[in-house]
Amino acid sequence: MALSDYRFREDGRPRIIHFSGGRTSAYLLAHTLAAYGGSLPAHVRVAFCNTGKEREETLVFIQRCSDEWNVDVTWLEYDYLPDARGGRHDPKHVHRFVDFKSASRNGEPFEAMIRSGSILPTVALRKCTSELKVRTCQRWARRVLGWKKYFDVLGIRWDEPRRWRKALMEECTAEYPLVSARVTKTMVDAFWHRSPFDLGIPSRLGNCDLCFLKGKRNLIRTIRQEPDRAQWWIDQEERILQSHGRRLRNSKMAQFSQRYTYAELLEEARIPDPQLVLIDGMDEGGISCFCGD
């Protein structure tokens, strides 16, 4: 693997490196910086889209990377303006700039997105990814930077083929340098083992604290260790059920997952360890999100 693998084509099109706050996307950023001698070209920007459900360690890690590597990271959040008229000149869906100190910590952008459409995101309809991350970044790029066409640069590894194989055939506006460089999790872990600082949380915890894309066993394990984290997710499900229950075809439409509610996860997390392995349908797997580990 050569640093030249992380230099972008000289095609005149700008790039946005999506920094999720995980080890893999930070690995991508570090190697891209090295490929350009420690300073990114003006047409390459770095963005972090905060959902408000990221763990505090993630926010600390992003700021540490920015400080240690002297790279500017633009912190963005989704916001919803219900009183706006809508349309190009008075949009309801907007972005706002934050930083480490002002970034939301209690799910405010995520909750605003849910309220804007009165619907919960699910595995089949990942509105949280599309609205909180993809479109929020697009609004910044188009409304502030004036970039109508650009490439999204994503931190997805070579050993995550289910995340990139189909995308490579369908997407014309995304690039996957770690796939081209055949980077694996072992390589990423080795890099951070040598680094003077690290994210400081197990990979299984991810960035979004109790994301419904994680496996059920993983969620229960996390809730058992940090039960208070479940309440926000429970509140969102209960609010949709109470507000729109009569209009829903079935109650499962007021759930993040078709298989369980977060209230049920909390109850199962209270089961003693010996019984945990007897619960049917539990798995350690899950589905990764847009920006990478």
Side-chain angles (χ1 to χ4, degrees):
M1 180 186 63
L3 287 178
S4 58
D5 293 332
Y6 296 92
R7 292 184 68 91
F8 304 116
R9 297 191 309 272
E10 298 295 335
D11 52 15
R13 182 172 292 192
R15 264 81 174 171
I16 295 177
I17 298 175
H18 292 267
F19 190 6
S20 70
R23 292 182 178 90
T24 297
S25 62
Y27 177 100
L28 168 62
L29 177 56
H31 283 70
T32 305
L33 282 165
Y36 284 99
S39 181
L40 296 177
H43 68 280
V44 179
R45 304 292 291 268
V46 184
F48 163 61
C49 295
N50 182 45
T51 69
K53 292 304 294 173
E54 279 78 10
R55 301 179 66 91
E56 184 66 19
E57 297 94 331
T58 298
L59 305 184
V60 171
F61 182 61
I62 293 170
Q63 188 61 48
R64 182 76 184 273
C65 289
S66 179
D67 293 339
E68 292 281 345
W69 301 337
N70 193 30
V71 58
D72 181 47
V73 177
T74 299
W75 292 50
L76 302 168
E77 287 185 359
Y78 167 86
D79 200 5
Y80 178 66
L81 307 178
D83 296 329
R85 296 175 61 185
R88 179 179 178 183
H89 299 292
D90 191 19
K92 289 180 176 290
H93 304 275
V94 299
H95 74 278
R96 65 190 191 99
F97 295 104
V98 295
D99 56 24
F100 174 76
K101 291 184 178 180
S102 62
S104 299
R105 261 81 168 178
N106 298 304
E108 294 92 339
F110 204 138
E111 186 171 342
M113 181 272 298
I114 292 173
R115 290 181 181 275
S116 73
S118 300
I119 188 172
L120 296 176
T122 64
V123 173
L125 182 64
R126 300 187 205 176
K127 190 178 178 183
C128 47
T129 299
S130 61
E131 198 64 62
L132 299 180
K133 294 185 176 290
V134 179
R135 291 187 182 130
T136 293
C137 195
Q138 286 176 346
R139 292 180 184 113
W140 164 61
R142 293 171 182 173
R143 297 173 185 175
V144 178
L145 301 179
W147 293 356
K148 294 183 179 180
K149 293 183 179 180
Y150 59 90
F151 283 108
D152 295 302
V153 183
L154 305 181
I156 295 177
R157 302 186 308 269
W158 167 255
D159 58 356
E160 300 176 291
R162 69 176 181 178
R163 299 184 64 194
W164 58 259
R165 186 166 289 155
K166 184 179 180 181
L168 281 179
M169 294 185 291
E170 294 181 349
E171 296 180 9
C172 299
T173 60
E175 294 180 331
Y176 305 87
L178 301 184
V179 174
S180 301
R182 301 203 171 197
V183 172
T184 64
K185 187 176 186 300
T186 299
M187 296 165 66
V188 172
D189 289 345
F191 173 83
W192 290 108
H193 182 73
R194 299 189 302 267
S195 174
F197 69 98
D198 186 25
L199 175 58
I201 58 175
S203 294
R204 68 173 181 82
L205 292 179
N207 296 316
C208 189
D209 62 1
L210 292 178
C211 176
F212 54 87
L213 297 180
K214 298 177 182 178
K216 185 178 181 183
R217 182 185 295 274
N218 194 347
L219 288 171
I220 290 178
R221 184 179 175 186
T222 303
I223 293 172
R224 171 172 286 130
Q225 295 171 342
E226 303 173 285
D228 291 346
R229 290 189 180 273
Q231 193 58 52
W232 184 90
W233 299 86
I234 292 171
D235 289 345
Q236 306 313 309
E237 291 185 325
E238 290 182 347
R239 183 178 295 114
I240 292 296
L241 185 60
Q242 293 172 5
S243 301
H244 307 283
R246 293 182 180 180
R247 296 196 294 271
L248 300 178
R249 291 195 299 273
N250 61 70
S251 61
K252 291 186 180 296
M253 295 181 68
Q255 298 175 196
F256 289 101
S257 171
Q258 294 293 295
R259 295 187 295 151
Y260 47 75
T261 67
Y262 275 75
E264 291 169 345
L265 288 179
L266 180 60
E267 288 303 312
E268 291 187 28
R270 293 169 174 156
I271 298 174
D273 279 339
Q275 298 182 43
L276 183 61
V277 296
L278 302 179
I279 299 175
D280 291 333
M282 291 189 15
D283 59 89
E284 194 64 64
I287 304 172
S288 296
C289 194
F290 170 74
C291 286
D293 176 23

